[in-house]
Amino acid sequence: MTTGSRGMTVVGWFAASRLAIAALGVVGVATFATFADHGTVVMDTTAALNPANVWHKWDALWYERIAEHGYGYELDTPQGQAAAGFFPLYPLTIRLIMTVVPSLPFFWVATIFSNLVTLAALLLLARSLIPRDDMVGRVMTILMTSAGSFYLSIPYTEGLFLLLVVGTIVATRRRRYELAGLLAGLAATTR
């Protein structure tokens, strides 16, 4: 298997697993009643076709608030104080990207970024850390079908963290310890 074949295996597993997770999200939201912010039940199943309705929840809302307003936003409220529990590298990176493309909403900027860094991490992993060609498919199967892999494609820190950890390991193996230390330090600011 050549480097190109490894890359195609990674891209194939990445695309297939993300499509499967997107489909599961649509089915989940369309099948089960979801609750809006004010306790009302939302039963419109066509809303499930919008990925933002499926995945823009939970911690993604905190990352959005930090990316758009910083940590000092509503500091005197319980919500503002809770923002301190979220590490800064991911929301600050999204904030920087949003200054370049201000017309895109947070959800799409963060989702595209998370997918790109996840794909970069997988390609680096396959190219630099998997010793044999026959192992690439198995590693991608395990990684991309694990229960929590959906976090790698939504506005969460996991994709960036994975890229920084893989980069740290690669730099360490190449005896580039300063770079490894920098990447490890950056990884520590994501989680």
Side-chain angles (χ1 to χ4, degrees):
M1 187 182 286
T2 65
T3 302
S5 297
R6 284 183 178 219
M8 291 303 291
T9 300
V10 168
V11 169
W13 271 105
F14 176 79
S17 65
R18 301 307 88 185
L19 287 172
I21 286 172
L24 287 172
V26 167
V27 168
V29 170
T31 303
F32 301 103
T34 58
F35 292 90
D37 290 336
H38 305 295
T40 58
V41 177
V42 177
M43 298 298 276
D44 180 10
T45 57
T46 59
L49 298 176
N50 181 352
N53 292 335
V54 177
W55 302 112
H56 195 187
K57 300 172 186 225
W58 313 297
D59 290 355
L61 299 174
W62 288 103
Y63 291 123
E64 179 178 24
R65 184 176 291 134
I66 295 166
E68 292 179 351
H69 305 289
Y71 283 95
Y73 181 66
E74 295 182 353
L75 190 58
D76 58 339
T77 67
Q79 293 80 14
Q81 293 169 6
F86 294 89
F87 287 84
L89 185 60
Y90 183 80
L92 295 179
T93 302
I94 300 302
R95 181 181 197 150
L96 178 66
I97 296 169
M98 288 177 70
T99 62
V100 176
V101 286
S103 61
L104 287 178
F106 167 85
F107 175 79
W108 290 109
V109 171
T111 298
I112 291 167
F113 176 75
S114 290
N115 278 282
L116 289 175
V117 295
T118 296
L119 184 58
L122 297 174
L123 290 168
L124 183 60
L125 175 71
R127 181 173 174 244
S128 301
L129 298 178
I130 301 174
R132 295 190 337 254
D133 292 342
D134 64 327
M135 296 174 71
V136 174
R138 285 183 279 169
V139 171
M140 292 302 123
T141 301
I142 292 167
L143 189 59
M144 298 314 294
T145 61
S146 66
S149 77
F150 71 92
Y151 288 111
L152 297 169
S153 296
I154 61 175
Y156 274 61
T157 64
E158 278 71 4
L160 179 58
F161 180 74
L162 180 63
L163 177 60
L164 292 169
V165 168
V166 170
T168 299
I169 296 168
V170 170
T172 301
R173 285 189 173 185
R174 293 180 181 169
R175 295 191 158 100
R176 298 188 59 200
Y177 300 117
E178 295 83 8
L179 178 59
L182 174 65
L183 293 172
L186 289 172
T189 64
T190 65
R191 326 194 32 80

